[in-house]
Amino acid sequence: MRRKCDTCLCRTCLKACRCADCQGKVEACGNYRGFHQLDIFRQDAKRYMRILVACEESQRVCTEFRRLGHEAWSCDIEPCSGGHPEWHIQADVLPLLGGDCGFRTADGTGHWVYGKWDMIIAFPPCTHLAVSGAKHFAQKRRDGRQQQGIDFFMKFVDADCERIAIENPVGIMSGLYRKPDQIIQPYEFGDPFEKRTCLWLKNLSPLVPTKVVQPPERQKLPGGHTIPAWYSRGGRDRQKNRSKTFPGIAAAMAEQWGVVDDTSIQKCQSVPRHSLSYYGLTYKRVEELERLIRSGKYATVALQAAHKADNDAAEYILLSIMKKLSYEGLDKLYGRGEIDRVPCSRTGFYYTKKYFYSIFDKELRRIGK
């Protein structure tokens, strides 16, 4: 098998990859058609997710998930400042929320994501929603800017994704939508700053503080009010700097949400990893076995063999043969909501399939077929 690109996670066509590690070193596989065929699994059968980090130009969260091996993409209409244009989509995020989409990253490389996103982490603009700008709310309600902010926020709430996290400062969405699942502070995650941050979560656990440090002193304002000292710093990029995710929080999101609590994903790891020749099979014999299965003959034998190979993956093995579908084809059916996700990795699935062929072949030979 070809060496896999550690930078873009693509192994379908390394020649098309623009990263320094791959360019000019590996011959193309011939399947490149303008987009990288992305694979959410590594060969060790450990689960990796496809993650869309919306409205993030800093790439702090995206980079932390990438560090753990996940296929994470940052998306923002602004250029990225995180130093990884190969992971950044500089475009409107709304057309991407449903998954099963193609896009080009800021370095000009085309990509395709099959099926739905495994997780969406969104940082919608808070300019028209945060209570810190309450004195301007009346004008923003009259000219429609606040309603636009509300509608944009709700697009993430309604996104078709199993796991969703939406971040915003304390603002009007706590009343218009619902109260957040938790409110966190940067100083709970090792950064000595104060900024109350709300998180609305779907199928994600609240973040657990990782390192509580001393909160900073607050700056006193006329009238007795106080605010965090760093928050009032001016400059041309004041708003952008105030919206960046603190490193400690970004790391906690990746470390705590980047582990999928799904034991079925670990299936197929114990399946023998052998080639067809190890089982005494040829590609011609496999084609004969598949024709017998599609004809409906020996259906009971095939079903028993599939369950013996792997009880959880049995129906997916037979479906892939009956419909002539690859692992990616099954993943597309999952993305359309027609089947559940295949309960094992891509590599594990194909080794399990070979194991199934060997069992099915032995049973047929045993009965003289």
Side-chain angles (χ1 to χ4, degrees), residues 224-270:
H225 298 289
T226 61
I227 61 171
W230 71 272
Y231 201 73
S232 61
R233 293 174 186 170
R236 184 179 61 180
D237 297 327
R238 176 173 178 265
Q239 183 175 352
K240 181 183 292 187
N241 292 333
R242 284 166 53 168
S243 67
K244 293 180 184 292
T245 304
F246 285 90
I249 293 177
M253 287 179 173
E255 293 168 1
Q256 297 182 32
W257 295 341
V259 178
V260 180
D261 185 16
D262 187 350
T263 56
S264 65
I265 296 299
Q266 303 301 324
K267 298 293 183 181
C268 304
Q269 293 194 59
S270 60

mmCIF file of all heavy atoms in Angstrom, residues 224-270:
data_model
loop_
_atom_site.group_PDB
_atom_site.id
_atom_site.type_symbol
_atom_site.label_atom_id
_atom_site.label_comp_id
_atom_site.label_asym_id
_atom_site.label_seq_id
_atom_site.Cartn_x
_atom_site.Cartn_y
_atom_site.Cartn_z
ATOM 1 N N GLY A 224 -18.413 52.001 38.855
ATOM 2 C CA GLY A 224 -18.264 50.805 39.681
ATOM 3 C C GLY A 224 -18.174 49.508 38.913
ATOM 4 O O GLY A 224 -17.926 48.457 39.501
ATOM 5 N N HIS A 225 -18.393 49.553 37.599
ATOM 6 C CA HIS A 225 -18.299 48.317 36.811
ATOM 7 C C HIS A 225 -16.845 47.919 36.608
ATOM 8 O O HIS A 225 -15.948 48.765 36.612
ATOM 9 C CB HIS A 225 -18.978 48.503 35.458
ATOM 10 C CG HIS A 225 -20.446 48.791 35.559
ATOM 11 N ND1 HIS A 225 -21.360 47.843 35.944
ATOM 12 C CD2 HIS A 225 -21.155 49.931 35.334
ATOM 13 C CE1 HIS A 225 -22.583 48.376 35.937
ATOM 14 N NE2 HIS A 225 -22.473 49.651 35.576
ATOM 15 N N THR A 226 -16.626 46.620 36.414
ATOM 16 C CA THR A 226 -15.282 46.116 36.139
ATOM 17 C C THR A 226 -15.328 45.200 34.929
ATOM 18 O O THR A 226 -16.340 44.542 34.657
ATOM 19 C CB THR A 226 -14.716 45.327 37.340
ATOM 20 O OG1 THR A 226 -15.563 44.189 37.595
ATOM 21 C CG2 THR A 226 -14.630 46.197 38.574
ATOM 22 N N ILE A 227 -14.225 45.142 34.204
ATOM 23 C CA ILE A 227 -14.102 44.241 33.053
ATOM 24 C C ILE A 227 -12.705 43.644 33.070
ATOM 25 O O ILE A 227 -11.789 44.195 33.685
ATOM 26 C CB ILE A 227 -14.332 44.983 31.715
ATOM 27 C CG1 ILE A 227 -13.275 46.093 31.545
ATOM 28 C CG2 ILE A 227 -15.731 45.520 31.608
ATOM 29 C CD1 ILE A 227 -13.300 46.724 30.163
ATOM 30 N N PRO A 228 -12.493 42.480 32.403
ATOM 31 C CA PRO A 228 -11.141 41.918 32.306
ATOM 32 C C PRO A 228 -10.204 42.924 31.638
ATOM 33 O O PRO A 228 -10.564 43.569 30.652
ATOM 34 C CB PRO A 228 -11.343 40.679 31.438
ATOM 35 C CG PRO A 228 -12.783 40.315 31.615
ATOM 36 C CD PRO A 228 -13.497 41.617 31.781
ATOM 37 N N ALA A 229 -8.999 43.060 32.159
ATOM 38 C CA ALA A 229 -8.062 44.062 31.663
ATOM 39 C C ALA A 229 -7.717 43.859 30.191
ATOM 40 O O ALA A 229 -7.635 44.819 29.431
ATOM 41 C CB ALA A 229 -6.796 44.033 32.515
ATOM 42 N N TRP A 230 -7.516 42.596 29.756
ATOM 43 C CA TRP A 230 -7.117 42.340 28.372
ATOM 44 C C TRP A 230 -8.219 42.698 27.394
ATOM 45 O O TRP A 230 -7.963 43.002 26.224
ATOM 46 C CB TRP A 230 -6.759 40.862 28.200
ATOM 47 C CG TRP A 230 -7.963 39.950 28.266
ATOM 48 C CD1 TRP A 230 -8.504 39.395 29.379
ATOM 49 C CD2 TRP A 230 -8.778 39.522 27.176
ATOM 50 N NE1 TRP A 230 -9.611 38.646 29.064
ATOM 51 C CE2 TRP A 230 -9.799 38.696 27.708
ATOM 52 C CE3 TRP A 230 -8.769 39.748 25.806
ATOM 53 C CZ2 TRP A 230 -10.778 38.104 26.922
ATOM 54 C CZ3 TRP A 230 -9.731 39.153 25.009
ATOM 55 C CH2 TRP A 230 -10.732 38.338 25.569
ATOM 56 N N TYR A 231 -9.469 42.690 27.878
ATOM 57 C CA TYR A 231 -10.630 42.843 26.999
ATOM 58 C C TYR A 231 -10.738 44.245 26.415
ATOM 59 O O TYR A 231 -11.332 44.445 25.360
ATOM 60 C CB TYR A 231 -11.890 42.512 27.802
ATOM 61 C CG TYR A 231 -13.087 42.133 26.946
ATOM 62 C CD1 TYR A 231 -13.127 40.902 26.315
ATOM 63 C CD2 TYR A 231 -14.165 43.005 26.786
ATOM 64 C CE1 TYR A 231 -14.225 40.532 25.533
ATOM 65 C CE2 TYR A 231 -15.258 42.647 26.008
ATOM 66 C CZ TYR A 231 -15.278 41.415 25.393
ATOM 67 O OH TYR A 231 -16.344 41.056 24.629
ATOM 68 N N SER A 232 -10.160 45.235 27.098
ATOM 69 C CA SER A 232 -10.314 46.621 26.650
ATOM 70 C C SER A 232 -9.174 47.086 25.768
ATOM 71 O O SER A 232 -9.139 48.242 25.359
ATOM 72 C CB SER A 232 -10.417 47.550 27.867
ATOM 73 O OG SER A 232 -9.237 47.460 28.656
ATOM 74 N N ARG A 233 -8.245 46.198 25.477
ATOM 75 C CA ARG A 233 -7.126 46.589 24.635
ATOM 76 C C ARG A 233 -7.615 46.954 23.230
ATOM 77 O O ARG A 233 -8.420 46.240 22.637
ATOM 78 C CB ARG A 233 -6.098 45.454 24.546
ATOM 79 C CG ARG A 233 -5.387 45.177 25.869
ATOM 80 C CD ARG A 233 -4.499 43.956 25.759
ATOM 81 N NE ARG A 233 -3.920 43.614 27.065
ATOM 82 C CZ ARG A 233 -3.257 42.486 27.298
ATOM 83 N NH1 ARG A 233 -3.094 41.600 26.334
ATOM 84 N NH2 ARG A 233 -2.767 42.248 28.496
ATOM 85 N N GLY A 234 -7.105 48.028 22.712
ATOM 86 C CA GLY A 234 -7.547 48.496 21.400
ATOM 87 C C GLY A 234 -6.712 47.911 20.281
ATOM 88 O O GLY A 234 -6.128 46.844 20.391
ATOM 89 N N GLY A 235 -6.642 48.657 19.160
ATOM 90 C CA GLY A 235 -5.891 48.175 18.013
ATOM 91 C C GLY A 235 -6.804 47.836 16.858
ATOM 92 O O GLY A 235 -8.015 47.643 17.010
ATOM 93 N N ARG A 236 -6.185 47.736 15.692
ATOM 94 C CA ARG A 236 -6.957 47.472 14.477
ATOM 95 C C ARG A 236 -7.649 46.107 14.513
ATOM 96 O O ARG A 236 -8.748 45.937 13.998
ATOM 97 C CB ARG A 236 -6.013 47.550 13.266
ATOM 98 C CG ARG A 236 -6.706 47.379 11.931
ATOM 99 C CD ARG A 236 -5.707 47.498 10.792
ATOM 100 N NE ARG A 236 -4.674 46.460 10.895
ATOM 101 C CZ ARG A 236 -3.667 46.332 10.035
ATOM 102 N NH1 ARG A 236 -3.521 47.208 9.043
ATOM 103 N NH2 ARG A 236 -2.769 45.371 10.191
ATOM 104 N N ASP A 237 -6.990 45.106 15.114
ATOM 105 C CA ASP A 237 -7.539 43.742 15.147
ATOM 106 C C ASP A 237 -8.198 43.431 16.483
ATOM 107 O O ASP A 237 -8.259 42.269 16.899
ATOM 108 C CB ASP A 237 -6.433 42.726 14.875
ATOM 109 C CG ASP A 237 -5.838 42.874 13.484
ATOM 110 O OD1 ASP A 237 -6.601 43.244 12.566
ATOM 111 O OD2 ASP A 237 -4.630 42.639 13.317
ATOM 112 N N ARG A 238 -8.705 44.452 17.165
ATOM 113 C CA ARG A 238 -9.280 44.263 18.497
ATOM 114 C C ARG A 238 -10.408 43.234 18.484
ATOM 115 O O ARG A 238 -10.422 42.303 19.289
ATOM 116 C CB ARG A 238 -9.800 45.609 19.014
ATOM 117 C CG ARG A 238 -10.516 45.555 20.365
ATOM 118 C CD ARG A 238 -10.815 46.973 20.845
ATOM 119 N NE ARG A 238 -11.539 46.985 22.089
ATOM 120 C CZ ARG A 238 -12.871 47.078 22.167
ATOM 121 N NH1 ARG A 238 -13.593 47.155 21.066
ATOM 122 N NH2 ARG A 238 -13.468 47.085 23.340
ATOM 123 N N GLN A 239 -11.343 43.378 17.560
ATOM 124 C CA GLN A 239 -12.489 42.462 17.533
ATOM 125 C C GLN A 239 -12.057 41.040 17.192
ATOM 126 O O GLN A 239 -12.532 40.070 17.797
ATOM 127 C CB GLN A 239 -13.524 42.949 16.516
ATOM 128 C CG GLN A 239 -14.786 42.087 16.474
ATOM 129 C CD GLN A 239 -15.833 42.670 15.541
ATOM 130 O OE1 GLN A 239 -15.685 43.776 15.032
ATOM 131 N NE2 GLN A 239 -16.891 41.919 15.307
ATOM 132 N N LYS A 240 -11.144 40.896 16.236
ATOM 133 C CA LYS A 240 -10.673 39.573 15.849
ATOM 134 C C LYS A 240 -9.930 38.897 16.996
ATOM 135 O O LYS A 240 -10.129 37.702 17.265
ATOM 136 C CB LYS A 240 -9.762 39.683 14.624
ATOM 137 C CG LYS A 240 -9.241 38.337 14.125
ATOM 138 C CD LYS A 240 -8.286 38.511 12.954
ATOM 139 C CE LYS A 240 -9.011 39.025 11.736
ATOM 140 N NZ LYS A 240 -8.108 39.035 10.542
ATOM 141 N N ASN A 241 -9.090 39.652 17.702
ATOM 142 C CA ASN A 241 -8.326 39.081 18.809
ATOM 143 C C ASN A 241 -9.237 38.662 19.958
ATOM 144 O O ASN A 241 -8.985 37.654 20.635
ATOM 145 C CB ASN A 241 -7.287 40.086 19.307
ATOM 146 C CG ASN A 241 -6.182 40.329 18.286
ATOM 147 O OD1 ASN A 241 -5.890 39.464 17.461
ATOM 148 N ND2 ASN A 241 -5.571 41.511 18.334
ATOM 149 N N ARG A 242 -10.290 39.422 20.191
ATOM 150 C CA ARG A 242 -11.213 39.086 21.274
ATOM 151 C C ARG A 242 -12.045 37.851 20.957
ATOM 152 O O ARG A 242 -12.576 37.203 21.858
ATOM 153 C CB ARG A 242 -12.138 40.276 21.550
ATOM 154 C CG ARG A 242 -11.450 41.385 22.323
ATOM 155 C CD ARG A 242 -12.217 42.691 22.316
ATOM 156 N NE ARG A 242 -13.595 42.555 22.744
ATOM 157 C CZ ARG A 242 -14.389 43.591 23.027
ATOM 158 N NH1 ARG A 242 -13.915 44.829 22.939
ATOM 159 N NH2 ARG A 242 -15.634 43.406 23.409
ATOM 160 N N SER A 243 -12.156 37.521 19.670
ATOM 161 C CA SER A 243 -12.988 36.378 19.283
ATOM 162 C C SER A 243 -12.212 35.068 19.215
ATOM 163 O O SER A 243 -12.819 34.006 19.051
ATOM 164 C CB SER A 243 -13.629 36.648 17.918
ATOM 165 O OG SER A 243 -12.647 36.690 16.895
ATOM 166 N N LYS A 244 -10.890 35.114 19.313
ATOM 167 C CA LYS A 244 -10.088 33.896 19.201
ATOM 168 C C LYS A 244 -10.312 32.974 20.401
ATOM 169 O O LYS A 244 -10.464 33.427 21.532
ATOM 170 C CB LYS A 244 -8.598 34.240 19.098
ATOM 171 C CG LYS A 244 -8.201 34.960 17.812
ATOM 172 C CD LYS A 244 -6.713 35.247 17.807
ATOM 173 C CE LYS A 244 -6.297 36.052 16.576
ATOM 174 N NZ LYS A 244 -6.435 35.267 15.341
ATOM 175 N N THR A 245 -10.313 31.681 20.119
ATOM 176 C CA THR A 245 -10.447 30.687 21.180
ATOM 177 C C THR A 245 -9.127 30.576 21.936
ATOM 178 O O THR A 245 -8.060 30.510 21.325
ATOM 179 C CB THR A 245 -10.813 29.316 20.587
ATOM 180 O OG1 THR A 245 -12.005 29.436 19.819
ATOM 181 C CG2 THR A 245 -11.026 28.286 21.692
ATOM 182 N N PHE A 246 -9.192 30.541 23.256
ATOM 183 C CA PHE A 246 -7.981 30.413 24.041
ATOM 184 C C PHE A 246 -7.380 29.017 23.862
ATOM 185 O O PHE A 246 -8.114 28.025 23.744
ATOM 186 C CB PHE A 246 -8.275 30.681 25.512
ATOM 187 C CG PHE A 246 -8.476 32.133 25.826
ATOM 188 C CD1 PHE A 246 -9.739 32.707 25.759
ATOM 189 C CD2 PHE A 246 -7.395 32.938 26.168
ATOM 190 C CE1 PHE A 246 -9.928 34.049 26.037
ATOM 191 C CE2 PHE A 246 -7.570 34.288 26.450
ATOM 192 C CZ PHE A 246 -8.839 34.852 26.377
ATOM 193 N N PRO A 247 -6.048 28.909 23.819
ATOM 194 C CA PRO A 247 -5.394 27.619 23.552
ATOM 195 C C PRO A 247 -5.810 26.501 24.486
ATOM 196 O O PRO A 247 -5.989 25.357 24.046
ATOM 197 C CB PRO A 247 -3.898 27.956 23.717
ATOM 198 C CG PRO A 247 -3.802 29.411 23.409
ATOM 199 C CD PRO A 247 -5.080 30.015 23.934
ATOM 200 N N GLY A 248 -5.964 26.800 25.776
ATOM 201 C CA GLY A 248 -6.339 25.757 26.722
ATOM 202 C C GLY A 248 -7.714 25.183 26.441
ATOM 203 O O GLY A 248 -7.937 23.969 26.561
ATOM 204 N N ILE A 249 -8.651 26.047 26.061
ATOM 205 C CA ILE A 249 -9.995 25.583 25.735
ATOM 206 C C ILE A 249 -9.971 24.758 24.455
ATOM 207 O O ILE A 249 -10.628 23.715 24.350
ATOM 208 C CB ILE A 249 -10.957 26.779 25.604
ATOM 209 C CG1 ILE A 249 -11.148 27.457 26.966
ATOM 210 C CG2 ILE A 249 -12.303 26.330 25.038
ATOM 211 C CD1 ILE A 249 -12.027 28.695 26.926
ATOM 212 N N ALA A 250 -9.205 25.215 23.464
ATOM 213 C CA ALA A 250 -9.100 24.470 22.207
ATOM 214 C C ALA A 250 -8.537 23.073 22.441
ATOM 215 O O ALA A 250 -9.036 22.084 21.891
ATOM 216 C CB ALA A 250 -8.224 25.239 21.220
ATOM 217 N N ALA A 251 -7.498 22.978 23.272
ATOM 218 C CA ALA A 251 -6.910 21.672 23.575
ATOM 219 C C ALA A 251 -7.894 20.775 24.307
ATOM 220 O O ALA A 251 -7.983 19.570 24.038
ATOM 221 C CB ALA A 251 -5.641 21.855 24.405
ATOM 222 N N ALA A 252 -8.664 21.350 25.228
ATOM 223 C CA ALA A 252 -9.646 20.556 25.976
ATOM 224 C C ALA A 252 -10.738 20.034 25.056
ATOM 225 O O ALA A 252 -11.200 18.896 25.205
ATOM 226 C CB ALA A 252 -10.245 21.411 27.097
ATOM 227 N N MET A 253 -11.187 20.840 24.109
ATOM 228 C CA MET A 253 -12.201 20.389 23.158
ATOM 229 C C MET A 253 -11.715 19.167 22.379
ATOM 230 O O MET A 253 -12.447 18.180 22.216
ATOM 231 C CB MET A 253 -12.544 21.519 22.187
ATOM 232 C CG MET A 253 -13.365 22.644 22.795
ATOM 233 S SD MET A 253 -13.706 23.949 21.583
ATOM 234 C CE MET A 253 -14.842 24.990 22.511
ATOM 235 N N ALA A 254 -10.468 19.234 21.907
ATOM 236 C CA ALA A 254 -9.932 18.113 21.131
ATOM 237 C C ALA A 254 -9.730 16.871 21.993
ATOM 238 O O ALA A 254 -10.101 15.760 21.594
ATOM 239 C CB ALA A 254 -8.618 18.529 20.477
ATOM 240 N N GLU A 255 -9.149 17.052 23.167
ATOM 241 C CA GLU A 255 -8.838 15.906 24.011
ATOM 242 C C GLU A 255 -10.082 15.247 24.601
ATOM 243 O O GLU A 255 -10.111 14.029 24.795
ATOM 244 C CB GLU A 255 -7.890 16.348 25.130
ATOM 245 C CG GLU A 255 -6.512 16.750 24.624
ATOM 246 C CD GLU A 255 -5.687 17.455 25.677
ATOM 247 O OE1 GLU A 255 -6.203 17.599 26.812
ATOM 248 O OE2 GLU A 255 -4.561 17.875 25.375
ATOM 249 N N GLN A 256 -11.113 16.055 24.888
ATOM 250 C CA GLN A 256 -12.298 15.488 25.538
ATOM 251 C C GLN A 256 -13.398 15.113 24.556
ATOM 252 O O GLN A 256 -14.186 14.206 24.823
ATOM 253 C CB GLN A 256 -12.827 16.484 26.580
ATOM 254 C CG GLN A 256 -11.837 16.757 27.698
ATOM 255 C CD GLN A 256 -12.368 17.706 28.756
ATOM 256 O OE1 GLN A 256 -13.567 17.748 29.047
ATOM 257 N NE2 GLN A 256 -11.478 18.497 29.352
ATOM 258 N N TRP A 257 -13.475 15.805 23.433
ATOM 259 C CA TRP A 257 -14.495 15.468 22.431
ATOM 260 C C TRP A 257 -13.930 14.643 21.290
ATOM 261 O O TRP A 257 -14.679 14.125 20.470
ATOM 262 C CB TRP A 257 -15.116 16.744 21.860
ATOM 263 C CG TRP A 257 -15.884 17.541 22.868
ATOM 264 C CD1 TRP A 257 -16.372 17.113 24.065
ATOM 265 C CD2 TRP A 257 -16.271 18.918 22.758
ATOM 266 N NE1 TRP A 257 -17.038 18.116 24.719
ATOM 267 C CE2 TRP A 257 -16.991 19.252 23.939
ATOM 268 C CE3 TRP A 257 -16.093 19.901 21.788
ATOM 269 C CZ2 TRP A 257 -17.519 20.526 24.154
ATOM 270 C CZ3 TRP A 257 -16.611 21.172 22.005
ATOM 271 C CH2 TRP A 257 -17.320 21.477 23.173
ATOM 272 N N GLY A 258 -12.615 14.503 21.251
ATOM 273 C CA GLY A 258 -11.994 13.784 20.140
ATOM 274 C C GLY A 258 -11.961 12.289 20.313
ATOM 275 O O GLY A 258 -11.450 11.579 19.450
ATOM 276 N N VAL A 259 -12.499 11.781 21.413
ATOM 277 C CA VAL A 259 -12.576 10.344 21.646
ATOM 278 C C VAL A 259 -14.028 9.927 21.541
ATOM 279 O O VAL A 259 -14.867 10.394 22.319
ATOM 280 C CB VAL A 259 -12.016 9.959 23.035
ATOM 281 C CG1 VAL A 259 -12.144 8.466 23.264
ATOM 282 C CG2 VAL A 259 -10.570 10.404 23.151
ATOM 283 N N VAL A 260 -14.330 9.072 20.573
ATOM 284 C CA VAL A 260 -15.706 8.653 20.346
ATOM 285 C C VAL A 260 -16.043 7.487 21.258
ATOM 286 O O VAL A 260 -15.355 6.470 21.269
ATOM 287 C CB VAL A 260 -15.918 8.234 18.882
ATOM 288 C CG1 VAL A 260 -17.354 7.799 18.653
ATOM 289 C CG2 VAL A 260 -15.565 9.389 17.964
ATOM 290 N N ASP A 261 -17.080 7.663 22.047
ATOM 291 C CA ASP A 261 -17.527 6.604 22.964
ATOM 292 C C ASP A 261 -18.448 5.655 22.206
ATOM 293 O O ASP A 261 -19.652 5.656 22.369
ATOM 294 C CB ASP A 261 -18.257 7.209 24.156
ATOM 295 C CG ASP A 261 -18.632 6.154 25.186
ATOM 296 O OD1 ASP A 261 -18.069 5.054 25.115
ATOM 297 O OD2 ASP A 261 -19.487 6.442 26.033
ATOM 298 N N ASP A 262 -17.834 4.849 21.352
ATOM 299 C CA ASP A 262 -18.605 3.922 20.516
ATOM 300 C C ASP A 262 -17.792 2.644 20.367
ATOM 301 O O ASP A 262 -16.894 2.554 19.545
ATOM 302 C CB ASP A 262 -18.875 4.542 19.139
ATOM 303 C CG ASP A 262 -19.815 3.697 18.291
ATOM 304 O OD1 ASP A 262 -20.093 2.552 18.693
ATOM 305 O OD2 ASP A 262 -20.251 4.169 17.242
ATOM 306 N N THR A 263 -18.081 1.652 21.183
ATOM 307 C CA THR A 263 -17.286 0.438 21.181
ATOM 308 C C THR A 263 -17.397 -0.321 19.868
ATOM 309 O O THR A 263 -16.500 -1.077 19.509
ATOM 310 C CB THR A 263 -17.731 -0.490 22.330
ATOM 311 O OG1 THR A 263 -19.149 -0.748 22.209
ATOM 312 C CG2 THR A 263 -17.471 0.162 23.667
ATOM 313 N N SER A 264 -18.481 -0.115 19.131
ATOM 314 C CA SER A 264 -18.633 -0.835 17.867
ATOM 315 C C SER A 264 -17.582 -0.417 16.857
ATOM 316 O O SER A 264 -17.244 -1.177 15.951
ATOM 317 C CB SER A 264 -20.024 -0.591 17.276
ATOM 318 O OG SER A 264 -20.194 0.762 16.914
ATOM 319 N N ILE A 265 -17.041 0.817 16.999
ATOM 320 C CA ILE A 265 -16.031 1.278 16.068
ATOM 321 C C ILE A 265 -14.756 0.446 16.196
ATOM 322 O O ILE A 265 -13.980 0.317 15.268
ATOM 323 C CB ILE A 265 -15.722 2.765 16.314
ATOM 324 C CG1 ILE A 265 -16.968 3.594 16.019
ATOM 325 C CG2 ILE A 265 -14.578 3.267 15.466
ATOM 326 C CD1 ILE A 265 -17.463 3.491 14.601
ATOM 327 N N GLN A 266 -14.544 -0.142 17.366
ATOM 328 C CA GLN A 266 -13.332 -0.918 17.585
ATOM 329 C C GLN A 266 -13.464 -2.351 17.081
ATOM 330 O O GLN A 266 -12.534 -3.141 17.215
ATOM 331 C CB GLN A 266 -12.992 -0.929 19.078
ATOM 332 C CG GLN A 266 -12.816 0.463 19.672
ATOM 333 C CD GLN A 266 -11.716 1.230 18.992
ATOM 334 O OE1 GLN A 266 -10.707 0.672 18.600
ATOM 335 N NE2 GLN A 266 -11.911 2.537 18.831
ATOM 336 N N LYS A 267 -14.606 -2.713 16.518
ATOM 337 C CA LYS A 267 -14.786 -4.053 15.998
ATOM 338 C C LYS A 267 -13.833 -4.296 14.836
ATOM 339 O O LYS A 267 -13.340 -3.385 14.202
ATOM 340 C CB LYS A 267 -16.231 -4.258 15.530
ATOM 341 C CG LYS A 267 -17.264 -4.136 16.634
ATOM 342 C CD LYS A 267 -17.147 -5.241 17.652
ATOM 343 C CE LYS A 267 -18.238 -5.133 18.704
ATOM 344 N NZ LYS A 267 -18.145 -6.179 19.714
ATOM 345 N N CYS A 268 -13.625 -5.553 14.496
ATOM 346 C CA CYS A 268 -12.807 -5.996 13.372
ATOM 347 C C CYS A 268 -11.315 -5.895 13.658
ATOM 348 O O CYS A 268 -10.512 -6.246 12.810
ATOM 349 C CB CYS A 268 -13.121 -5.237 12.080
ATOM 350 S SG CYS A 268 -14.837 -5.318 11.584
ATOM 351 N N GLN A 269 -10.915 -5.405 14.838
ATOM 352 C CA GLN A 269 -9.493 -5.319 15.114
ATOM 353 C C GLN A 269 -8.892 -6.698 15.372
ATOM 354 O O GLN A 269 -7.700 -6.899 15.142
ATOM 355 C CB GLN A 269 -9.235 -4.413 16.310
ATOM 356 C CG GLN A 269 -9.575 -2.956 16.046
ATOM 357 C CD GLN A 269 -9.004 -2.062 17.117
ATOM 358 O OE1 GLN A 269 -7.813 -2.037 17.340
ATOM 359 N NE2 GLN A 269 -9.857 -1.321 17.772
ATOM 360 N N SER A 270 -9.716 -7.652 15.862
ATOM 361 C CA SER A 270 -9.205 -8.973 16.166
ATOM 362 C C SER A 270 -9.287 -9.918 14.976
ATOM 363 O O SER A 270 -8.873 -11.067 15.071
ATOM 364 C CB SER A 270 -9.997 -9.570 17.342
ATOM 365 O OG SER A 270 -11.379 -9.670 17.013
#
